[in-house]
């Protein structure tokens, strides 16, 4: 459907979702457009480091920034609400609290939702691993487990990036967690299936001295309050089940007609424009590009910048530009035991690389929220103090011991 001609002095752009992709889009639009960012969460959340909440080296406040401040500073309006439906033909969307917002162009950046693949009991008994709140809750449960007497069992479902990083953080607490047994269950034949096999071997080698078991090639069939059941018939005892198993599309995409019955994610053109509606762009994890990309924060940010430019061009009747992804190496931390830098099929491993991941975190947070007012400056100082206390000083101490 072609874009409607706006009768407003400033064309209206509504952005649904204000995390990596949506916030970046907002920051690349200026006041020539009336931009509204709608998110159900009051905070921007730095998801790539949420595993560190399990060991306590990060606090929830380190990983959150107030969205209203960020959006207002970019010159736009922030609305905290859950979007429940988008009527693209009518140029209007609705929220759970009954409000309606009209738009000339819309950018959808809703990410994904936890996927338990219909495994019986997983929604109820396994703890999800998708947000700051989720991981803070897992951290609290771990603390209460290690305070209990006797042996305790933790099962991590999923041996991908999140599962391996979660294991690393549990092992970072190994002094305090000697009574913990950890089992990582992965349905595929090895850990970190998309990465070179050397990573699987390195993670197993680092875990050899700890009480860790790996069950690969073992899909989970059911989760109960005290057990994880495998397709082999084995029943693993579990006092805490962490579900890092998967991610799927938000139901909003299908309900609003952005994704068809056979699509998981919303199909877009190479210019990130919805294949179903001309005046709508889908970006970040929610988008199915003509050539699939890994669902990574830096691609989400790059898409946000591209979609902002294309929304401007669309409303000005100009030709859209294709999205050109710029891949970056992936940094996988394994607690304080190791960090892997993965680029294509090559891997560099060193605990010292944790400093690089931390520097990316600190620099990007400061770029998103420059310390221009007292509260932003206070929060920046607290993040830097946390890094010094929890990461830099222990690293220095271990170097001195060595
Ligand atoms: C544990 C973990 C570790 C990761 N590690 C890395 C890493 O090391 N490097 C890396 O590059 N990437 C990493 N990622 C992936 C990265 O976090 C995602 O690719 C990125 O968050 C995608 O950004 P997005 O803006 O598309 O979606 P999200 O960040 O998921 O944001 C979606 C936003 O939309 C809002 N929203 C959703 N539905 C609605 C609605 N109906 N109404 C209103 N608001 C809504 C949400 O509240 C949220 O703010 C990791 C992810 C996880 C979970």
């Amino acid at each position: 459907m072609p874009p409607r001609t706006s009768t407003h002095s400033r064309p209206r752009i509504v952005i649904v979702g204000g995390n990596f992709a949506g916030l970046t889009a907002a920051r690349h639009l200026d006041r020539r457009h009336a931009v509204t960012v709608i998110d159900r969460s009051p905070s921007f959340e730095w998801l790539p480091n949420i595993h560190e909440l399990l060991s306590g080296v990060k606090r929830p406040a380190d990983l959150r920034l107030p969205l209203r401040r960020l959006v207002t500073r970019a010159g736009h309006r922030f609305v905290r609400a859950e979007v429940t439906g988008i009527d693209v033909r009518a140029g209007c969307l609705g929220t759970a609290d009954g409000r309606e917002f009209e738009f000339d162009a819309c950018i959808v950046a809703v990410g994904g939702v936890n996927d338990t693949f219909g495994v019986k009991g997983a929604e109820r008994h396994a703890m999800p691993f998708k947000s700051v709140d989720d991981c803070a809750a897992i951290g609290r449960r771990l603390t209460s487990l290690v305070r209990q007497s006797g042996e305790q069992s933790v099962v991590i479902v999923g041996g991908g990036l999140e599962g391996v990083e979660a294991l690393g953080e549990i092992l970072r607490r190994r002094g305090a967690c000697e009574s913990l047994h950890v089992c990582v269950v992965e349905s595929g034949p090895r850990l970190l299936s998309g990465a070179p096999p050397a990573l699987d071997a390195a993670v197993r080698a680092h875990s050899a001295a700890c009480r860790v078991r790996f069950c690969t090639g073992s899909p989970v069939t059911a989760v109960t309050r005290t057990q994880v059941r495998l397709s082999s018939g084995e029943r693993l005892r579990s006092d805490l089940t962490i579900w890092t198993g998967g991610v799927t599309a938000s139901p909003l995409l299908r309900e609003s007609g952005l994704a068809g019955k056979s699509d998981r994610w919303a199909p877009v053109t190479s210019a990130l424009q919805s294949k179903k509606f001309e005046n709508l762009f889908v970006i970040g994890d929610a988008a199915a590009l003509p050539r699939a990309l890994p669902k990574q924060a830096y691609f989400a940010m790059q898409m946000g910048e591209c979609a902002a430019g294309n929304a401007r061009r669309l409303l000005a009747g100009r030709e859209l530009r294709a999205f050109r992804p710029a891949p970056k190496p992936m940094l996988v931390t394994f607690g304080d035991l190791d960090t892997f830098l993965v680029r294509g099929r090559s891997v560099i491993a060193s605990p010292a690389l944790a400093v690089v991941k931390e520097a990316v975190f600190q620099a990007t947070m400061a770029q998103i929220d420059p310390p221009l007012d007292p509260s932003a400056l206070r929060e920046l100082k607290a993040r830097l103090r946390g890094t010094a206390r929890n990461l830099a000083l222990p690293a220095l101490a271990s170097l001195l011991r060595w």
Side-chain angles (χ1 to χ4, degrees), residues 200-392:
D200 172 288
V203 167
R204 287 171 193 264
H206 283 305
S207 310
C210 309
R211 305 167 90 187
V212 180
R213 183 180 160 206
F214 296 96
C215 295
T216 43
S218 313
V220 172
T221 53
V223 181
T224 69
R225 201 171 53 79
T226 54
Q227 280 183 351
V228 172
R229 297 181 184 162
L230 306 184
S231 59
S232 60
E234 190 176 358
R235 295 175 175 211
L236 306 170
R237 192 192 129 193
S238 181
D239 300 295
L240 162 60
T241 305
I242 302 173
W243 191 272
T244 72
V247 63
T248 193
S250 158
L252 181 69
L253 300 183
R254 204 167 282 172
E255 286 161 12
S256 302
L258 309 184
K261 278 202 182 94
S262 57
D263 304 314
R264 252 180 101 204
W265 308 95
V268 294
T269 66
S270 59
L272 306 176
Q273 190 176 31
S274 162
K275 285 196 174 166
K276 318 259 179 194
F277 304 103
E278 209 175 32
N279 58 336
L280 187 136
F281 297 85
V282 186
I283 56 174
D285 284 4
L289 278 84
R291 278 189 65 188
L293 281 179
K295 299 207 178 292
Q296 295 281 293
Y298 57 84
F299 283 135
M301 294 171 88
Q302 293 169 14
M303 285 187 230
E305 182 173 352
C306 173
N310 277 343
R312 269 197 315 266
R313 286 181 201 101
L314 179 90
L315 294 169
R318 291 182 5 237
E319 203 177 318
L320 307 190
R321 290 201 188 141
F323 172 59
R324 304 228 178 279
K328 293 190 177 167
M330 185 170 73
L331 278 160
V332 183
T333 48
F334 193 57
D336 56 353
L337 291 166
D338 218 343
T339 297
F340 311 103
L341 185 132
V342 185
R343 183 174 214 130
R345 303 313 294 166
S346 64
V347 183
I348 302 172
S350 164
L353 285 169
V355 176
V356 180
K357 184 151 180 170
E358 186 62 16
V360 172
F361 159 70
Q362 290 289 356
T364 316
M365 290 287 269
Q367 194 192 359
I368 293 173
D369 189 22
L372 299 176
D373 56 57
S375 45
L377 181 62
R378 231 182 358 261
E379 289 161 25
L380 171 70
K381 282 184 181 165
R383 283 197 300 274
L384 290 171
R385 266 200 306 276
T387 297
R389 190 175 51 242
N390 297 318
L391 294 168

Side-chain angles (χ1 to χ4, degrees), residues 123-146:
E123 291 276 353
R124 174 135 190 241
H125 299 293
M127 296 187 78
F129 195 88
K130 271 293 288 160
S131 68
V132 168
D133 274 347
D134 291 345
C135 288
I138 296 171
R140 287 193 298 275
R141 178 89 183 106
L142 274 170
T143 303
S144 99
L145 274 185
V146 298

Side-chain angles (χ1 to χ4, degrees), residues 69-250:
R69 176 167 85 209
L70 306 180
V71 173
T72 313
R73 205 188 267 162
H76 310 314
R77 175 165 69 137
F78 174 68
V79 174
R80 185 176 173 197
E82 164 106 23
V83 173
T84 47
I86 309 175
D87 183 344
V88 192
R89 284 192 179 86
C92 181
L93 58 77
T95 57
D97 55 11
R99 283 181 283 175
E100 291 199 338
F101 295 84
E102 293 188 341
F103 57 80
D104 300 300
C106 182
I107 299 177
V108 175
V110 291
V113 296
N114 193 39
D115 192 0
T116 50
F117 305 103
V119 169
K120 204 171 145 209
E123 291 276 353
R124 174 135 190 241
H125 299 293
M127 296 187 78
F129 195 88
K130 271 293 288 160
S131 68
V132 168
D133 274 347
D134 291 345
C135 288
I138 296 171
R140 287 193 298 275
R141 178 89 183 106
L142 274 170
T143 303
S144 99
L145 274 185
V146 298
R147 286 190 185 142
Q148 290 169 26
S149 58
E151 308 250 298
Q152 307 291 334
S153 299
V154 176
V155 176
I156 300 174
V157 181
L161 172 71
E162 290 92 344
V164 164
E165 290 194 319
L167 173 64
E169 292 308 312
I170 295 174
L171 298 187
R172 200 196 282 271
R173 301 171 66 147
R174 55 197 172 282
C177 295
E178 271 161 11
S179 57
L180 276 191
H181 278 276
V182 187
C183 183
V184 180
V185 182
E186 164 58 41
S187 58
R190 64 179 170 87
L191 306 172
L192 294 159
S193 60
L199 254 74
D200 172 288
V203 167
R204 287 171 193 264
H206 283 305
S207 310
C210 309
R211 305 167 90 187
V212 180
R213 183 180 160 206
F214 296 96
C215 295
T216 43
S218 313
V220 172
T221 53
V223 181
T224 69
R225 201 171 53 79
T226 54
Q227 280 183 351
V228 172
R229 297 181 184 162
L230 306 184
S231 59
S232 60
E234 190 176 358
R235 295 175 175 211
L236 306 170
R237 192 192 129 193
S238 181
D239 300 295
L240 162 60
T241 305
I242 302 173
W243 191 272
T244 72
V247 63
T248 193
S250 158

